[in-house]
Amino acid sequence: MKSRFLVGAFAVLAFTACKENKDDKAENEIKEVSVDKKGETYAELSIKEGGSWNMETREYLQGSFKNVDFLEVPEAHTDHSWYIRYEGPGWENKQVAYRLYLDWRNALDIFGKRVDTLVLPYVGQDGFDSYHENAPWGQDILKAGKSMGIGGYGRFTGDTIAHFNTVEKTTAKVDNSDEASSVTINYTGWKTGEVITDLKSEISIFPEDRFLKISLTPGSAIDGLATGIVKFDDIARIEQTSENGKWAYIATYGKQTLAGVDDQLGMALFYNTEQATVTEGPHDHLVVFKPSLEPQTYYIIAAWDQEKDGITSEESFKLDLKLKLQKLDAEGVLE
């Protein structure tokens, strides 16, 4: 089943774009898609149309947002181009929402939710970055800074993370079904140092629980492919390995949100110990994958103490992580 729903009166549109030349001129085919408003998960990507690019500032001026199923990211696009609503694709279920900066930063961020309804179609509509402000539904709660946020990805070069500053082409495709909602991103010609490769990421959210499943498939067996969790002062890294030793997590818990000085946020990343090792970067607690052509699959989870009927203590957070490790031990998957 394709895209299923949208909250309220928003319409979902499919969009296919192909570049004609380096001036980002495109021939667009737009068609309306029938929707079912009863879905439990949702992924979206929303871009501006009807405006124009200022090529000097790399900003998209004027225009209005429309949801698309497919996007080839324009060469002019960068951070704060005002072209993509909340700067990239988003994933959501009734408990939590995430977004990815679809530009050189490539970090994953968290929308903390105080409600158990789907909110992404409204986010960023009333002022581009209004989601940074406290609202009844919640807000953006994580400051990614120079990090990869929670579960973003890049290449660890020994002393720093190389993000996605140089990429020949980036495309994103959105899929919504009864079982899950996902976004598949293909990076063609990703250059870090002297290494050039392709990378495919598939990021999915499911009807129950707070986790995202992320699968990275490199085009070549590069060293240093990495993910991680943003580091904050005075917040210790927590680690645990499953009973059979095949799965482990790194996590943090404490006052590490933008929403309030007393807010508590738990973040965790589950990884396969046969595929990766843990280290520290300048801005992230890192999980670094061994060179491979095989998909590297991991899970991230965010638990905000203001979530409706959510996890409100470090003890409860660690218990939740323990149960997830047990499930990974027994089944190898969380979904």
Side-chain angles (χ1 to χ4, degrees):
M1 183 181 293
K2 295 294 289 180
S3 298
R4 317 182 311 290
F5 76 95
L6 203 52
V7 180
F10 287 95
V12 174
L13 299 176
F15 172 91
T16 304
C18 59
K19 290 183 183 175
E20 291 180 348
N21 55 43
K22 292 185 178 180
D23 292 327
D24 297 311
K25 294 179 181 178
E27 196 172 61
N28 302 334
E29 179 184 343
I30 302 173
K31 63 179 181 178
E32 191 168 345
V33 178
S34 61
V35 295
D36 176 356
K37 299 177 183 177
K38 298 180 181 179
E40 294 181 327
T41 65
Y42 179 53
E44 72 170 7
L45 180 59
S46 184
I47 65 169
K48 271 190 176 179
E49 292 184 339
S52 61
W53 283 99
N54 181 323
M55 301 305 290
E56 292 185 3
T57 64
R58 298 177 72 176
E59 295 176 296
Y60 194 86
L61 307 176
Q62 306 301 318
S64 57
F65 289 114
K66 289 188 176 180
N67 281 44
V68 299
D69 285 339
F70 176 83
L71 173 68
E72 181 175 319
V73 179
E75 292 178 12
H77 179 65
T78 186
D79 61 289
H80 301 90
S81 284
W82 324 120
Y83 174 66
I84 304 177
R85 185 157 57 84
Y86 55 78
E87 302 199 87
W91 300 258
E92 178 180 26
N93 64 16
K94 63 185 179 182
Q95 292 172 291
V96 69
Y98 300 90
R99 63 170 173 149
L100 180 138
Y101 302 129
L102 196 59
D103 53 55
W104 67 270
R105 295 168 295 176
N106 217 74
L108 267 160
D109 203 347
I110 305 163
F111 287 129
K113 291 173 60 174
R114 297 187 179 94
V115 297
D116 57 5
T117 57
L118 301 175
V119 301
L120 281 182
Y122 300 112
V123 174
Q125 296 279 6
D126 181 19
F128 182 84
D129 57 358
S130 58
Y131 47 80
H132 291 297
E133 301 168 2
N134 190 2
W137 64 266
Q139 68 178 93
D140 173 14
I141 61 173
L142 185 63
K143 182 174 177 59
K146 296 180 179 180
S147 78
M148 296 181 290
I150 175 173
Y153 39 93
R155 182 166 175 251
F156 188 51
T157 60
D159 59 357
T160 190
I161 286 288
H163 293 258
F164 286 73
N165 299 73
T166 305
V167 183
E168 182 181 331
K169 182 174 71 172
T170 302
T171 64
K173 183 179 181 294
V174 178
D175 287 291
N176 287 293
S177 73
D178 287 336
E179 293 76 30
S181 292
S182 64
V183 179
T184 301
I185 307 172
N186 281 288
Y187 307 85
T188 302
W190 175 34
K191 183 177 180 181
T192 54
E194 300 301 315
V195 174
I196 301 176
T197 190
D198 298 340
L199 181 69
K200 175 184 176 181
S201 74
E202 185 172 359
I203 306 174
S204 304
I205 196 166
F206 303 89
E208 297 297 329
D209 220 311
R210 301 167 184 83
F211 62 82
L212 285 183
K213 178 182 181 180
I214 303 173
S215 182
L216 304 179
T217 306
S220 57
I222 63 171
D223 65 288
L225 183 62
T227 182
I229 299 175
V230 56
K231 291 200 300 190
F232 293 105
D233 293 339
D234 303 322
I235 302 292
R237 186 179 83 195
I238 305 166
E239 295 184 69
Q240 189 66 49
T241 302
S242 68
E243 221 173 281
N244 69 15
K246 291 186 178 180
W247 285 88
Y249 71 72
I250 59 171
T252 59
Y253 192 91
K255 298 177 182 179
Q256 47 187 348
T257 84
L258 296 171
V261 294
D262 294 322
D263 284 24
Q264 302 290 316
L265 173 67
M267 295 185 284
L269 192 157
F270 296 86
Y271 64 96
N272 187 316
T273 59
E274 295 178 352
Q275 293 182 330
T277 58
V278 172
T279 190
E280 290 293 315
H283 308 292
D284 308 82
H285 305 292
L286 292 174
V287 171
V288 182
F289 298 103
K290 300 171 185 177
S292 176
L293 289 172
E294 297 299 314
Q296 311 295 305
T297 298
Y298 59 99
Y299 297 86
I300 63 168
I301 181 172
W304 186 37
D305 68 351
Q306 293 193 41
E307 175 191 324
K308 185 176 181 181
D309 301 321
I311 293 171
T312 58
S313 70
E314 183 173 354
E315 293 73 24
S316 296
F317 182 58
K318 288 180 177 178
L319 176 58
D320 184 65
L321 301 186
K322 178 180 179 181
L323 294 174
K324 286 179 169 56
L325 267 188
Q326 290 174 351
K327 183 175 175 63
L328 287 167
D329 240 356
E331 304 176 22
V333 295
L334 288 182
E335 68 276 15

